[in-house]
Amino acid sequence: MLLGFISLLLTVCQGKIQNICIRPSWTLHMLPCQGEDEVRAGEAAPTKEHLVTAQIIGRIGRRLLSGGAAEVDVCRSKGKAPLMSLEAIHQLHIFIFVLAITHVVFSVLTMLLGGAKIHQWKLWEDAIQKDTAGNGPKKVNNVHNFEFIREHFKGIGKDSRILSWLHSFFKQFYGSVSKTDYTTMRLGFIMTHCRGNLKFDFHKYMLRVLESDFKKVVGISWYLWVFVVIFLLLNVNGWHTYFWIAFIPLILLLAVGTKLEHVIAQLAQDVAEKHSAVEGDLIVKPSDDHFWFGRPRIILFLIHFILFQNAFEIAFFFWILTTYGFNSCIMGQVGFIVPRLVIGLIIQLLCSYSTLPLYAIVTQMGSFYKKEIFNEHVQQGVLGWAQKAKMKKGFKKSNGAAQSTSPVDSVGPSTKVEMVRRPAREGNDAGESIE
């Protein structure tokens, strides 16, 4: 729908766009690569490769900068040149289409590969569900005897904090989530949000949240299009913008992965600093304070931007390849092309197998849980029940009936909100009703 709207907007406004005039000198300095005249001036005896390049850039210039007669006459009468021709707008339509399709395909591929990794954790969940440990006396253990603490707690002090960040950075490349990590964070979530149901299926809940977040990841927001426009304006000959911009999603992805790993380290540090020994299992306390600005949702926006930017790099490459050919000057040198493609592949694999699974479980370590803690059937039932109760209460008020309300009639929207926020604090039955 967004793709169609943008295409319609370009079609409606193409007349006004063609009448936008700029200085003729800008058409020489704002080109994405060297022009035909510059090639001839720089080489006394141009080679066959230079001649081919000159012909291609001449064709690019004629297609993207010359335009039809109407807009050229309007701008020439002012002593200026048109900003975009009809052919340029047509190529922009094609590029937007290629970009949207590439982004959707890459997002789906990321979710499929990451989902396959997350589904492997189902074995851990099944093993926990089958555990039939009794309610006998609990053993008191030193916190440093727990594998989770030994793995993530690096001590107290400035040097230890630096070591913790370095460990978090490198751990995202191997075994980003271990069985101990999953077991400990699962128990911390349950004891914080649904203490009455220790058999709560955390894995199923985590998958429902991830499927809900996929709607955001696969979408294309307005600020992403603003980024595309800025890139196209900065893609000037000699700047190699298309090369340097490829490092932005890679740097952000490494930062996100490091932060997610460090959240796990902070959970371990909180327990190790406050307790020397604990009774029974190790329980961590989820908190929004461990995330940037106290908002776990920021991680989702960054992943969204990373996937879009990576898709943009690949889409731009294939658009140039199919439109102007591999040997065109706008494609750039091979030394700049290969690193871009390699970086794009690294981002795709790292995001799929490490960052996305980390995001799926670590973002559950916030102060609040999401509505997906109820399955879809229960969500619809609770909302429908609350709406019917509200309608019945309003109907009785309108008739002025002074009748005593039943327990169901006395329930209003505020009770519905309270149930969504505190599902497991009403006892074991409420916790079991989640599933």
Side-chain angles (χ1 to χ4, degrees):
M1 184 174 63
L2 180 62
L3 173 65
F5 174 75
I6 293 176
S7 297
L8 177 63
L9 192 62
L10 284 174
T11 302
V12 172
C13 300
Q14 70 179 17
K16 295 182 178 179
I17 294 175
Q18 293 177 67
N19 290 331
I20 298 177
C21 303
I22 60 176
R23 297 178 181 178
S25 59
W26 290 8
T27 63
L28 299 177
H29 299 295
M30 297 297 290
L31 289 175
C33 58
Q34 194 177 26
E36 181 179 2
D37 295 335
E38 296 174 272
V39 172
R40 291 177 177 175
E43 293 288 343
T47 62
K48 180 179 179 180
E49 181 180 359
H50 286 154
L51 291 176
V52 172
T53 303
Q55 293 174 359
I56 293 175
I57 187 57
R59 178 163 58 92
I60 295 174
R62 287 191 297 272
R63 293 173 69 177
L64 297 183
L65 296 176
S66 61
E71 65 270 17
V72 171
D73 291 340
V74 171
C75 294
R76 281 180 178 175
S77 62
K78 301 177 182 178
K80 297 182 179 181
L83 175 64
M84 294 183 67
S85 66
L86 184 62
E87 176 66 21
I89 297 176
H90 174 67
Q91 292 297 333
L92 188 58
H93 276 283
I94 297 176
F95 175 68
I96 291 175
F97 176 78
V98 173
L99 175 59
I101 295 300
T102 305
H103 175 60
V104 172
V105 171
F106 272 48
S107 299
V108 172
L109 183 61
T110 301
M111 293 296 294
L112 290 177
L113 296 178
K117 179 69 176 294
I118 296 173
H119 276 290
Q120 296 177 3
W121 302 346
K122 180 62 175 174
L123 299 176
W124 302 340
E125 182 69 33
D126 293 340
I128 297 173
Q129 296 290 343
K130 293 178 181 178
D131 186 9
T132 56
N135 296 324
K138 297 180 180 180
K139 182 179 179 182
V140 177
N141 298 304
N142 189 300
V143 292
H144 294 282
N145 291 336
F146 290 97
E147 182 180 350
F148 182 79
I149 299 296
R150 295 197 306 268
E151 178 68 22
H152 298 285
F153 181 61
K154 302 303 176 182
I156 303 175
K158 181 178 179 181
D159 294 338
S160 299
R161 288 196 297 269
I162 296 176
L163 182 62
S164 177
W165 278 104
L166 290 176
H167 177 265
S168 300
F169 174 79
F170 289 106
K171 193 175 185 299
Q172 65 179 311
F173 300 108
Y174 67 93
S176 55
V177 177
S178 63
K179 183 178 180 179
T180 304
D181 297 338
Y182 179 85
T183 304
T184 304
M185 286 188 285
R186 173 190 180 276
L187 182 60
F189 178 88
I190 292 177
M191 297 304 292
T192 302
H193 300 302
C194 47
R195 185 184 295 267
N197 184 13
L198 297 180
K199 294 295 183 180
F200 173 72
D201 196 333
F202 178 71
H203 185 268
K204 185 183 294 185
Y205 161 73
M206 188 174 57
L207 286 179
R208 286 201 294 262
V209 174
L210 186 62
E211 290 172 358
S212 177
D213 290 342
F214 176 72
K215 301 175 184 178
K216 175 64 179 178
V217 171
V218 78
I220 302 178
S221 303
W222 63 269
Y223 53 84
L224 298 178
W225 291 113
V226 171
F227 176 82
V228 171
V229 173
I230 294 175
F231 167 79
L232 294 176
L233 291 176
L234 295 179
N235 188 24
V236 180
N237 177 37
W239 291 11
H240 301 292
T241 308
Y242 56 86
F243 174 75
W244 299 113
I245 208 172
F247 289 93
I248 294 180
L250 179 61
I251 294 174
L252 287 178
L253 185 64
L254 294 177
V256 168
T258 303
K259 179 59 179 178
L260 291 174
E261 286 286 357
H262 193 252
V263 169
I264 302 178
Q266 287 178 297
L267 293 173
Q269 184 175 352
D270 286 348
V271 177
E273 290 181 349
K274 296 178 181 178
H275 306 280
S276 59
V278 295
E279 183 181 5
D281 297 324
L282 182 70
I283 300 177
V284 297
K285 183 175 180 57
S287 174
D288 286 347
D289 295 336
H290 298 319
F291 297 89
W292 283 317
F293 305 105
R295 298 182 60 187
R297 196 72 176 174
I298 292 179
I299 302 295
L300 179 62
F301 286 104
L302 291 176
I303 292 178
H304 186 201
F305 177 80
I306 290 168
L307 291 177
F308 179 83
Q309 171 59 24
N310 193 47
F312 172 78
E313 284 288 321
I314 303 300
F316 188 75
F317 168 79
F318 282 107
W319 177 66
I320 295 298
L321 180 65
T322 56
T323 304
Y324 305 111
F326 186 81
N327 294 323
S328 64
C329 71
I330 196 174
M331 176 65 76
Q333 303 174 4
V334 177
F336 290 103
I337 298 174
V338 175
R340 288 169 56 198
L341 298 179
V342 172
I343 291 175
L345 179 61
I346 293 175
I347 292 174
Q348 187 67 34
L349 294 178
L350 184 60
C351 187
S352 300
Y353 288 105
S354 177
T355 309
L356 188 65
L358 266 174
Y359 165 82
I361 187 170
V362 175
T363 52
Q364 311 310 323
M365 296 297 101
S367 301
F368 306 96
Y369 57 80
K370 303 176 179 64
K371 61 182 178 60
E372 283 75 20
I373 198 168
F374 296 104
N375 58 34
E376 185 177 357
H377 175 72
V378 175
Q379 289 182 44
Q380 293 177 353
V382 171
L383 294 177
W385 167 72
Q387 289 178 354
K388 289 180 180 178
K390 183 178 179 181
M391 291 176 60
K392 183 178 292 188
K393 188 174 182 180
F395 177 76
K396 288 186 176 182
K397 286 184 177 181
S398 63
N399 291 336
Q403 302 176 0
S404 60
T405 57
S406 64
V408 175
D409 296 335
S410 62
V411 177
S414 60
T415 308
K416 175 199 71 174
V417 176
E418 185 66 17
M419 283 192 62
V420 174
R421 292 175 121 179
R422 303 175 59 187
R425 297 182 183 178
E426 304 298 332
N428 189 49
D429 293 338
E432 292 176 348
S433 67
I434 291 175
E435 293 303 319

